Amino acid sequence: MASAALWRRGAARLRSCRPSRGCAACRDVVPTCERYAVRRLPFARLGERDVAAFERLMPGRVVTGEEEVKAFNVDWLKSVRGCSQVVLKPQTTAEVSQILRYCHEKNLAVNPQGGNTGLVGGSVPVFDEIILSTALMNQVISFDKVSGILVCQAGCVLERLNEYVEQQGFIMPLDLGAKGSCHIGGNVATNAGGLRLLRYGSLRGTVLGLEVVLADGSTLDCLTSLRKDNTGYDLKQLFIGSEGTLGVITAVSILCPQKPKAVNVAFLGCQSFAKVLETFTTCRAMLGEILSAYEFMDEKCMELVERHLKLSSPVADSPFYVLIETSGSNSTHDEEKLSNFLEQAMASGLVTDGTVATDDKKIKVLWSLRERITEALTHEGCVYKYDISLPVGKLYDLVTDMRARLGQSAKNVVGYGHLGDGNLHLNITAESYSHSLLDAIEPFVYEWTARYSGSISAEHGLGFKKKQFIQYSKPREAVVLMQQFKAMLDPKGILNPYKTLPSAP
């Protein structure tokens, strides 16, 4: 077990949340693995003069108390932990600029942090990096009711934004299980996917402009509200998905679709994954433009949700479950199309049982069966999480092969995700962390994914945990070019170090 002295020296390790097995350094986090160990780069160490300088810049918004800082040092899964001594809470882009200019001059490393809902260790420090939290940058700057274009600060919580634009007759193009706490800036920085991607596409298409503060404190104002701007390189795309390693996103311009007048959700049971796929093909053909989500989960996911969260499924004893959402402007038209699809699916044996919800309360109940799977899994002990893109036809084969490979060494191997866009969430649980179990999973899971031309990260990014595996999804030439971009925009490497990219040779 790691000692407090080891943590003070800044030894980074992967950890697993087991509150009952505390250590001297942290009562609810336990060291579990040496494979992610990295050496601290030669950044300056925070001193009293630095803290005093930040206090002068933003009085009352510099957090240094050990207990107060602790929550910012540990990720949502409690799987990785840093040892930062200070959290800065700017309210304006100008303050972010002054912070980064100071840190660049003093060679102080910075960890940008939004809602801290990431799952790959990208949102918390590895060592003692200064945490720059966007929590107070939560203002809506403007909203155009004609075009549906929203401009807001990066710290706005996704759910609050959705509530705001709903009052204007629109919705956010992004929907996530973590919407109650994630920030739009973090969503953009990680190119979050979510539940609405099938209908509205990725953030790379819906984000129109960004305001970004670069590592040296200079501000890049590309906060356009134009849907068409074909002048030169599209610089915002560099920062979407860059995980805070190239600049700190401070404001976002995003295109919001109109709020659908009619929403229906069907929750169905299928006897095999082949039936899930065939149902999807039929679904797309018959529902067409009103199809907004197609999610699947296996029976083990449902068992965990029912056992740990006391939720009940309206469809019993099915090897696979499918959640289909439609969104349109005419309830009669949409319900007729959905009814015709369900009749076809039942008559042809694709679906064995199902239920439909049309009112908001029942819709939320059905969605909770899918959205809260991650929460249910945290009750199972140590969770190994993988976020994979694959050709849709191969999506569940990875789960089957992993079960066969791990056998009794794993407690559960479950699969669920956004089948409509080929995104599998593979989760493996065990009573406690096992080095040998992780060796059996990695790099096998990445080799398997690469064999079928998939991506090792569909929507969560690479962060700290996956950066050393990037070669399974990107050729060497692409990685070298990314490193060159990093060196150009952040020559001292102070922005979110140890994340996303392997160290340059």
Side-chain angles (χ1 to χ4, degrees), residues 193-242:
L195 305 167
R196 290 176 176 164
L197 190 141
L198 177 64
R199 177 69 175 270
Y200 301 117
S202 75
L203 288 174
R204 293 196 179 278
T206 54
V207 170
L208 304 179
L210 295 175
E211 180 183 69
V212 182
V213 179
L214 303 180
D216 64 359
S218 59
T219 300
L220 178 64
D221 185 355
C222 291
L223 200 60
T224 179
S225 293
L226 300 174
R227 293 191 66 178
K228 287 186 172 182
D229 180 5
N230 209 11
T231 54
Y233 305 131
D234 191 0
L235 294 178
K236 70 177 181 291
Q237 297 296 344
L238 271 179
F239 302 96
I240 299 174
S242 67

Side-chain angles (χ1 to χ4, degrees), residues 127-147:
F127 295 100
D128 55 347
E129 299 90 89
I130 292 167
I131 297 172
L132 193 162
S133 170
T134 59
L136 300 183
M137 300 184 70
N138 56 8
Q139 301 299 307
V140 171
I141 298 170
S142 67
F143 182 73
D144 189 314
K145 296 180 182 179
V146 177
S147 65

